[in-house]
Amino acid sequence: MVLSSRGSASKTVLGVEVGTGPLDSAAVVAVARMDAPVALSAESLAAMAASRAVIESLAADSKPHYGVSTGFGALATKQIPPTQRTVLQRSLVRSHAASSGQEVDREVIRALMLKRLSTLATGRTGVRPAVASAYAALLNAGITPVVGEYGSLGCSGDLAPLSHCALALMGEGRVRDAAGREMDASAALAAAGLEPLELQEKEGLALINGTDGMLGMLTLAIADLHRLLTTADVAAAMSVEGLLGTDAVFAADLQALRPQPGQAESAENIRAVLRGSVLVEEQKTGEFTRVQDAYSLRCAPQVHGAARSTLAHAEHVAACELASAVDNPVVTPDGRVESNGNFHGAPVGYVLDFLAIAVADVASMSERRTDRFLDRNRSHGLNAFLAEDPGVDSGHMIAQYTQAGIVSELKRLAVPASVDSIPSSAMQEDHVSMGWAAGLKLRKALDGLTRVLAVEILTSARALDMRDGGVHASRSAPAITAVRTALRAAVPGPGPDRCLAPEIEACRLAVADGSLLAAAGSALQGPLS
């Protein structure tokens, strides 16, 4: 929910009000990537106070209650005396903050923290309002716990990553401040004017028992894939034009024969980007018209569209999860405290893996289009490898090697993590989702797709420059001319061999920040879908 806005006219950051209603993906992206401030609604504070009263009544009860007066996991059979219950919560967080490996990206941890805050704010976890307020203050101060990539099995949620966040709330462990400096949590809290929090009954458990990390990664991936799949449509259109292909296959009535909505969107994008292309029109008036192009050109809407449909399914799952209150035990609206299995990450893990498969296939098709430009037998009149002087120069030969290496890696990353399960906690937790691992590999896959598309766009732009003598004499469609012009502001046109790595990186950045898509949209006087 939008709370307020701040920032300059060129970059407005919206505040997010966290309450009893569901989060939306835009809020997650704003907090994770743009440091949007968060605030708790009055309704959420009241809901938390009400459920806390339930927990406090159980704390005085002589009967054992999981998470309140017992141990955890396989130790749930041990009842904890009242004098040891704050120690129990503190010990839980300390022992579970056991991650290892490379540090997880800041945006992932901030997305995780926002979703945990959202769950606390539902009033279904039984924490004091002060706990959620402290968590919100941690986010607003830009303090981000240092979390290693290993430590979550995706059930009971993302235990180790969430525990590091709870540990920071207690003033312990390592964090980074808003400027990215690593330090002790106690020092970061003090510098931000915040006090460490002492946890009470159930609060440690409520802070660590959720699928927030894998959901955060899914939400960020969805935002990235909207941009990348539209960029793939632009790249395909550039390749069709650069390889003197036909646009007839993308006609709306042909696409409607197979009424897949994602396919229709991709075909519409490709038609829009190719509209007004002199190069395409010239192929229709020659002595011979090629009626069929290779699959990597002709079937782009089918593959890109299937990825779009997969993305739509992932959005549905994410929306359900963003509306969820995942904790165990949970305080129900009628005041019961019930154990449950909602912390199992299967729904999120499956779609994270599903998206990795789609990413690998879109990248594979992009690499095949690139390769056609480099083979003089298939490029329709272009120099071998788009070299200035083939033999002396190698052109984009090794750029395609780079693509091929990435695509091969993407195929490995497409192997599902969610089909694996390793029992833990003395067989109490005997089936786990591995959703956290699925999220991490999807993030790597998205980086790979970004690089693969960058090489295709770089290659097709070079081919088009070689066909018409440069962007100043462009016979491309207006949208493609705009993309070529934007690219040439950062990367020079064809010439003798030079180091390609900086050019690939410049194009990668232009794909990642959406500037090439914006250039196409400006020529079309509206964004692509």
Side-chain angles (χ1 to χ4, degrees), residues 417-500:
S418 56
V419 298
D420 186 32
S421 177
I422 294 180
S424 56
S425 193
M427 294 299 287
Q428 174 72 3
E429 298 169 8
D430 57 356
H431 185 278
V432 295
S433 76
M434 294 297 177
W436 172 267
L440 289 177
K441 72 183 182 64
L442 177 59
R443 287 178 65 78
K444 188 172 183 181
L446 291 171
D447 177 71
L449 176 59
T450 303
R451 295 173 189 279
V452 168
L453 292 174
V455 173
E456 181 184 2
I457 290 170
L458 197 67
T459 301
S460 60
R462 182 180 177 94
L464 287 164
D465 280 0
M466 295 178 81
R467 288 209 189 277
D468 59 23
V471 72
H472 59 279
S474 175
R475 291 182 289 160
S476 288
I480 295 177
T481 298
V483 172
R484 290 170 62 188
T485 301
L487 184 61
R488 288 291 166 251
V491 176
D497 279 356
R498 54 186 181 257
C499 179
L500 282 178

Side-chain angles (χ1 to χ4, degrees), residues 360 363-365 367 402-412 452:
S364 178
M365 180 173 259
E367 182 275 329
T402 299
Q403 262 192 327
I406 295 170
V407 168
S408 183
E409 173 71 4
L410 292 179
K411 292 173 184 176
R412 291 190 291 274
V452 168

